[in-house]
Every structure is written in C-alpha cells, then in structure tokens.
Amino acid sequence: MKKKALIFGITGQDGSYLAEFLLKKKYIVHGVKRRSSSINTGRIDHIYQEPYTKKRTFILHYGDITDSLLVTRLVNEIKPDEIYNLAAQSHVQVSFESPEYTANADALGALRILEAIRFTKLENKTKYYQAGTSELFGRNEKTPQNEKANFYPASPYGVAKLYAHWITINYKEAYNIFACNGVLFNHESPRRGETFVTQKIVQGLCKIKKRKQNTLYLGNLYAKRDWGHARDYVEAMWLMLQQKKPIDLVISTGKQITVKNFVNKVARKLNIKIFWRGKGLNEKAIDKKGKVIIACDKTYYRPLEVNNLLGDSRKAKKILNWKPKVNLDDLISEMVNLEMNR
Ligand code: NAP
Ligand code: G4F
C-alpha cells in the first residue's frame, strides 16, 4: 500500500520541493492550498501537469490552517501516514505588522492539526512534522546554535513558532503522537519568495544587469545567516519522520555570511563591479561610474533584528545520516542562472 502524506503549505517553497520528493518516493501526496484572488500555484503547476495528477497520486484541497473544521475534516477523510505542517505566515518583518494573524496561523495552526490527529484517533498511525525555525534562537547570539541552545525569539513570528514548537512536544508526550520539530536554518532556492533577502538581491541585481532597474534598496546589511538549499532541507524533514522515535533536530549548513557578503557574491557572479561607501543608513554600493547600485532604506529595518544565526547540525548528521549537498556558491549560481533566463 502506498503511503499517504498531507502537506499544509503545498504552494510554498518547501511544500513544492517536498511534494516532488515524496512523489518520487511513491507516496500519494495530498496538498492544502489557500483560495486566493490570483493564482498561487506557480511552484507546483509543473507537478500538477505531470502524470501524478492522472494517476491520482497528487491531490489538492482548498483550505486554510486557521479553519479548525477544515483541518479536522481533511485529516479524518485522508487519514494520512505523515503530515507536514509547512503552512505559515513565514515573513519575519510582516509578523511585526500582522502579529495576531501570524499567531493564529503559525502557533494555533500546529495545535489545530495535532488536535485533529487526536480527535480522529489517529495517534498510532499519523506522524507529524512541525516546521520549526532558527528564529527561535533570536536574540541568543551565542553560536553555533544546536539542540541545547536557549530559545529567545525576537519577533511575533518567532514567538508564534515557539508555541508551535512546544505544543508539538506536549502532544508527543501527552498523547504519544509521533510528532517532531525540525529546527531549520534559512534555506533558499530559485523558488524562494521574492521578498526574502536572497531572492530580492538575486532578482534586483539581475534586473540591474539587464538595465531594467537602477538601484536595489535593502535593510540591515550586517545580519549573518546560515543559508542552505531548500531541496536538501525537505529531505531532512522526511528523514525525521522515518526514525524509530520522534526527535527534534537542528538542520543547517554550519556556515554563515552577512547579507552584504551575499550581495558581493551575487554581484561577482553577475560580473557587476561594486564599491562600498558610507556607513549605516548612508552605506551604499556604487559602480565604477558612481551609479548607486545598492542603497539602504529604513523601511526594510525591523523593530528588532536577529543578528547572528549559525547552526550546528552534527546531531542530525549522526542520527539521520543527513548533510547538505549544495553549497552557498552553487545555490547562488542556480538562483542567478534561473533568474537571468526567466
Ligand atoms: P513560504 O514559501 O512562505 O510558504 C508558506 C506556505 O504556507 C505557502 O504555501 C502559503 O500559502 C501557506 N500558508 C500561509 N498562510 C496559510 C494559511 N493561513 N493557511 C494555509 N496555508 C497558508 O515558506 P517556506 O520557505 O516554504 O517555509 C515553509 C515552512 O518552514 C514555514 O512554516 C516557515 O515558517 C518554515 N521555515 C522556513 C525556513 C526558510 O528559510 N525557508 C526556515 C525555517 C522554517 P500561499 O502560497 O497561498 O501564500
Ligand atoms: O530573508 P529574510 O527576510 O529571512 P529571515 O528573517 O532570516 O527569515 C527567514 O528565515 C527564518 C529561519 O531563520 C525562517 F523561519 C523565516 O520563515 C524566513 O524564511 O531576512 C534575512 C536577513 C534579516 O536579518 C533581514 O533584516 O536579511 C536582512 N535584510 C536586509 N535587507 C532584509 C533586507 N530582509 C528582507 N526580507 N528584505 C530586505 O530588504
């Protein structure tokens, strides 16, 4: 019998890679997408058109993680072997502007799914994966951060994910559900949302290269991130649900660079020569003719910043036999090449 997976957040970056991964492993994949006024299935349309849909191994449902009845009905009807909760308002800066909705989707969303598993008496059948985040470490700047590092979230997003983290542990301990948290550091790809900094830099500099944009405006250039490739990270999610016991694990590359150095790498890849001048909000990168290529705009600064994220995923390497396959330079090449040909 084929295994059934239910993915909340199927239309997102990770949802699309995970669906591809599970379909290759011969799962029947059910995905939950939101109704939106414009089409939001761009990342999964290629899967939908492949034979999977004809064979009924890739099935989409409308739904919203804030709708308990819907969540319970889907869990009850599908009775999945594995549930991946990737649905979230996932933008840290947006969470400052929309904190209540972020809590509803990102914190209570997890509770709704776990309650549905319990309510439908699927505790012994359905395994649950919670999309945790390195944002949980937030203002704890002691690096590298591993499974023992203290949480100190620094945004409504981080705080909502902290609830999701603990409710996952609580349902595992109270009801014996196979439930685990992947504490994933930043991961990117050509499918990354356009308002996250890596994709924003890649798309902005590609447009500048094609003379379709003059200047790219950014926020804090000195935040450090540990950036991996989303395709590698969805494999780790799946591996976590294949273990004998549920265990929470940090997933990261173990390398970090600043946003500014990410800009430098993309500029180099595109053969755009830039020279940095000034400080703080006045810092900018100019080209050899003095044209401003990068400038800072306070719109993109956050009320609180997470300055320093660097993961230690030795435990995941040991338990899952997982390690990232794609390094940062190859990730940037993939993103830039795709964008230049888009
Ligand atoms: P993403 O591209 O923003 O995708 C989020 C998904 O959640 C989208 O499919 C989105 O639907 C859906 N969604 C949002 N609100 C929803 C709601 N109310 N009901 C149902 N679906 C909803 O994020 P991602 O990068 O793939 O990340 C996947 C998960 O991992 C998220 O939970 C994120 O917080 C977490 N995470 C991400 C990273 C990272 O670096 N990428 C690191 C750690 C943790 P629409 O397409 O309709 O917007
Ligand atoms: O790309 P970002 O928006 O990602 P952030 O805040 O690290 O969050 C991402 O990773 C988390 C895991 O650590 C996930 F949980 C979360 O869902 C999301 O996927 O920003 C990265 C850094 C920040 O320090 C930000 O202040 O880049 C800085 N930055 C500088 N200029 C900018 C910009 N960020 C954005 N989005 N836009 C800018 O113009």
Side-chain angles (χ1 to χ4, degrees), residues 81-95:
D81 300 284
E82 296 170 11
I83 297 180
Y84 296 86
N85 178 23
L86 313 181
Q89 189 303 94
S90 71
H91 203 284
V92 174
Q93 187 168 13
V94 171
S95 79

mmCIF file of all heavy atoms in Angstrom, residues 81-95:
data_model
loop_
_atom_site.group_PDB
_atom_site.id
_atom_site.type_symbol
_atom_site.label_atom_id
_atom_site.label_comp_id
_atom_site.label_asym_id
_atom_site.label_seq_id
_atom_site.Cartn_x
_atom_site.Cartn_y
_atom_site.Cartn_z
ATOM 1 N N ASP A 81 -0.550 8.956 6.595
ATOM 2 C CA ASP A 81 0.523 8.355 7.397
ATOM 3 C C ASP A 81 1.437 9.444 7.940
ATOM 4 O O ASP A 81 1.996 9.293 9.027
ATOM 5 C CB ASP A 81 1.347 7.399 6.523
ATOM 6 C CG ASP A 81 0.494 6.287 5.968
ATOM 7 O OD1 ASP A 81 0.175 5.373 6.743
ATOM 8 O OD2 ASP A 81 0.091 6.357 4.788
ATOM 9 N N GLU A 82 1.605 10.506 7.161
ATOM 10 C CA GLU A 82 2.502 11.590 7.575
ATOM 11 C C GLU A 82 1.856 12.939 7.280
ATOM 12 O O GLU A 82 1.264 13.118 6.212
ATOM 13 C CB GLU A 82 3.832 11.502 6.800
ATOM 14 C CG GLU A 82 4.603 10.231 7.117
ATOM 15 C CD GLU A 82 5.794 9.995 6.188
ATOM 16 O OE1 GLU A 82 6.172 10.893 5.415
ATOM 17 O OE2 GLU A 82 6.340 8.866 6.231
ATOM 18 N N ILE A 83 1.971 13.851 8.231
ATOM 19 C CA ILE A 83 1.515 15.229 7.998
ATOM 20 C C ILE A 83 2.721 16.152 8.137
ATOM 21 O O ILE A 83 3.476 16.059 9.112
ATOM 22 C CB ILE A 83 0.431 15.667 9.005
ATOM 23 C CG1 ILE A 83 -0.825 14.804 8.845
ATOM 24 C CG2 ILE A 83 0.077 17.151 8.816
ATOM 25 C CD1 ILE A 83 -1.955 15.180 9.805
ATOM 26 N N TYR A 84 2.895 17.034 7.161
ATOM 27 C CA TYR A 84 3.954 18.048 7.212
ATOM 28 C C TYR A 84 3.283 19.403 7.341
ATOM 29 O O TYR A 84 2.569 19.839 6.428
ATOM 30 C CB TYR A 84 4.793 18.004 5.934
ATOM 31 C CG TYR A 84 5.537 16.692 5.768
ATOM 32 C CD1 TYR A 84 4.916 15.588 5.163
ATOM 33 C CD2 TYR A 84 6.847 16.543 6.220
ATOM 34 C CE1 TYR A 84 5.596 14.382 5.008
ATOM 35 C CE2 TYR A 84 7.530 15.345 6.068
ATOM 36 C CZ TYR A 84 6.889 14.272 5.464
ATOM 37 O OH TYR A 84 7.569 13.084 5.316
ATOM 38 N N ASN A 85 3.481 20.058 8.477
ATOM 39 C CA ASN A 85 2.882 21.384 8.666
ATOM 40 C C ASN A 85 3.876 22.472 8.277
ATOM 41 O O ASN A 85 4.661 22.950 9.091
ATOM 42 C CB ASN A 85 2.433 21.599 10.103
ATOM 43 C CG ASN A 85 1.861 23.006 10.275
ATOM 44 O OD1 ASN A 85 1.417 23.624 9.301
ATOM 45 N ND2 ASN A 85 1.871 23.512 11.486
ATOM 46 N N LEU A 86 3.816 22.852 7.005
ATOM 47 C CA LEU A 86 4.702 23.899 6.483
ATOM 48 C C LEU A 86 3.950 25.213 6.318
ATOM 49 O O LEU A 86 4.539 26.229 5.941
ATOM 50 C CB LEU A 86 5.277 23.478 5.118
ATOM 51 C CG LEU A 86 5.846 22.065 5.015
ATOM 52 C CD1 LEU A 86 6.388 21.814 3.609
ATOM 53 C CD2 LEU A 86 6.960 21.855 6.037
ATOM 54 N N ALA A 87 2.646 25.195 6.583
ATOM 55 C CA ALA A 87 1.842 26.408 6.360
ATOM 56 C C ALA A 87 2.175 27.452 7.416
ATOM 57 O O ALA A 87 2.165 27.163 8.610
ATOM 58 C CB ALA A 87 0.362 26.068 6.424
ATOM 59 N N ALA A 88 2.480 28.656 6.957
ATOM 60 C CA ALA A 88 2.763 29.737 7.916
ATOM 61 C C ALA A 88 2.807 31.075 7.209
ATOM 62 O O ALA A 88 3.131 31.148 6.018
ATOM 63 C CB ALA A 88 4.114 29.496 8.603
ATOM 64 N N GLN A 89 2.497 32.115 7.968
ATOM 65 C CA GLN A 89 2.878 33.471 7.558
ATOM 66 C C GLN A 89 4.362 33.488 7.898
ATOM 67 O O GLN A 89 4.734 33.649 9.057
ATOM 68 C CB GLN A 89 2.060 34.491 8.356
ATOM 69 C CG GLN A 89 2.199 35.937 7.893
ATOM 70 C CD GLN A 89 3.620 36.453 7.903
ATOM 71 O OE1 GLN A 89 4.331 36.406 6.880
ATOM 72 N NE2 GLN A 89 4.073 36.937 9.030
ATOM 73 N N SER A 90 5.210 33.328 6.888
ATOM 74 C CA SER A 90 6.601 32.981 7.172
ATOM 75 C C SER A 90 7.553 34.171 7.107
ATOM 76 O O SER A 90 8.762 33.996 7.215
ATOM 77 C CB SER A 90 7.068 31.892 6.201
ATOM 78 O OG SER A 90 7.211 32.436 4.907
ATOM 79 N N HIS A 91 7.024 35.374 6.926
ATOM 80 C CA HIS A 91 7.903 36.540 6.794
ATOM 81 C C HIS A 91 8.059 37.248 8.145
ATOM 82 O O HIS A 91 7.093 37.730 8.720
ATOM 83 C CB HIS A 91 7.356 37.501 5.743
ATOM 84 C CG HIS A 91 8.412 38.396 5.174
ATOM 85 N ND1 HIS A 91 8.912 39.474 5.865
ATOM 86 C CD2 HIS A 91 9.093 38.347 3.997
ATOM 87 C CE1 HIS A 91 9.842 40.061 5.119
ATOM 88 N NE2 HIS A 91 9.966 39.401 3.985
ATOM 89 N N VAL A 92 9.298 37.305 8.624
ATOM 90 C CA VAL A 92 9.568 37.849 9.963
ATOM 91 C C VAL A 92 9.129 39.310 10.051
ATOM 92 O O VAL A 92 8.440 39.710 10.996
ATOM 93 C CB VAL A 92 11.067 37.695 10.300
ATOM 94 C CG1 VAL A 92 11.390 38.389 11.616
ATOM 95 C CG2 VAL A 92 11.440 36.211 10.367
ATOM 96 N N GLN A 93 9.504 40.124 9.072
ATOM 97 C CA GLN A 93 9.156 41.552 9.154
ATOM 98 C C GLN A 93 7.635 41.756 9.093
ATOM 99 O O GLN A 93 7.075 42.562 9.831
ATOM 100 C CB GLN A 93 9.827 42.336 8.025
ATOM 101 C CG GLN A 93 9.614 43.831 8.202
ATOM 102 C CD GLN A 93 10.487 44.674 7.304
ATOM 103 O OE1 GLN A 93 11.092 44.164 6.365
ATOM 104 N NE2 GLN A 93 10.574 45.947 7.580
ATOM 105 N N VAL A 94 6.961 40.983 8.251
ATOM 106 C CA VAL A 94 5.494 41.098 8.145
ATOM 107 C C VAL A 94 4.848 40.747 9.485
ATOM 108 O O VAL A 94 3.817 41.305 9.857
ATOM 109 C CB VAL A 94 4.969 40.199 7.001
ATOM 110 C CG1 VAL A 94 3.450 40.133 7.000
ATOM 111 C CG2 VAL A 94 5.478 40.698 5.649
ATOM 112 N N SER A 95 5.464 39.847 10.234
ATOM 113 C CA SER A 95 4.857 39.434 11.511
ATOM 114 C C SER A 95 4.771 40.593 12.502
ATOM 115 O O SER A 95 3.912 40.599 13.369
ATOM 116 C CB SER A 95 5.606 38.238 12.115
ATOM 117 O OG SER A 95 6.803 38.619 12.767
#
